[in-house]
Amino acid sequence: MKHKSSREFFAYWNAKRGNARAPDRSEFEPSAVRELLADIFVLSYDNEAGYPFRVAGTRTSALLGCDLKDRSFSALFTGGSRSEIEEIMSAVAEETLPAIAGVTATTETGERAHLELLLLPFTARVHVPASLTGLLAPFEDNATKLSDLALTSWRYLHPPERFVPRALRKLAIARGLMVYEGLR
């Protein structure tokens, strides 16, 4: 992580999760990350709606030029980056696997701006809509009204021993004899 805000938010998230794969959303105290709130957002885990914003900090809304509540997060990304960010967000939410990404965007004057995107999962609970949180921090102080976001790099942050791929997790649940329907 290159941006100071990303490191601070990840450290807070990491402390809240303890030995769990991710913390519960109810454990977060906004006052504990007061200085970061302007860059923090919360997304609904709803692939069909493009992962809409539940809440977005004032700086994030200002960077993107509008009130972001209920707007699609993945629609902010262009071309191939849109499907990539949707795949990353699915892994973050389903695998409880934090991710960090480098993002470029176009300013209203046509210049390139560079940002760091941190995506962090919450523990999934029964009867509670799944969500994830994150932080979008620009490296340039003069970045205003950004559009056409594109991924430049990304990686997952959990140590390998905590990573359990979806397929392996499903196989661990299915013990004993499994019957597959199909041809004879």
Side-chain angles (χ1 to χ4, degrees):
M1 284 179 255
K2 296 177 183 175
H3 204 282
K4 180 184 176 204
S5 297
S6 298
R7 290 189 302 268
E8 288 177 15
F9 192 45
F10 181 77
Y12 177 74
W13 177 88
N14 202 32
K16 284 296 180 182
R17 77 181 179 95
N19 291 328
R21 288 184 56 85
D24 191 73
R25 194 173 78 206
S26 64
E27 295 174 3
F28 269 64
E29 284 295 325
S31 61
V33 288
R34 180 177 313 130
E35 63 283 349
L36 303 175
L37 287 178
D39 294 328
I40 294 174
F41 56 84
V42 176
L43 304 173
S44 286
Y45 180 60
D46 182 356
N47 190 19
E48 290 181 19
Y51 305 93
F53 285 90
R54 285 188 177 171
V55 174
T58 54
R59 184 166 151 182
T60 303
S61 294
L63 279 174
L64 299 171
C66 61
D67 179 23
L68 295 169
K69 182 146 177 65
D70 297 325
R71 292 191 182 239
S72 168
F73 179 75
S74 61
L76 298 171
F77 289 81
T78 60
S81 289
R82 185 172 296 161
S83 60
E84 276 186 288
I85 196 67
E86 288 175 350
E87 181 61 33
I88 293 167
M89 287 189 295
S90 291
V92 168
E94 293 174 15
E95 310 256 356
T96 57
L97 192 63
I100 188 84
V103 176
T104 59
T106 305
T107 66
E108 59 188 346
T109 60
E111 298 174 23
R112 299 303 283 165
H114 304 279
L115 304 101
E116 188 167 71
L117 172 65
L118 176 65
L119 294 170
L120 303 169
F122 288 121
T123 296
R125 294 185 300 164
V126 178
H127 306 297
V128 175
S131 62
L132 52 133
T133 187
L135 181 135
L136 186 63
F139 287 106
E140 295 91 2
D141 289 334
N142 60 352
T144 58
K145 203 160 184 191
L146 303 176
S147 61
D148 302 328
L149 275 66
L151 287 173
T152 56
S153 62
W154 59 270
R155 66 184 173 93
Y156 297 111
L157 298 173
H158 262 223
E161 66 271 10
R162 292 187 179 162
F163 179 65
V164 180
R166 281 176 259 183
L168 292 178
R169 194 170 342 133
K170 288 177 182 176
L171 285 175
I173 292 170
R175 294 188 179 115
L177 178 66
M178 292 180 15
V179 177
Y180 291 95
E181 290 188 33
L183 299 175
R184 298 185 215 214

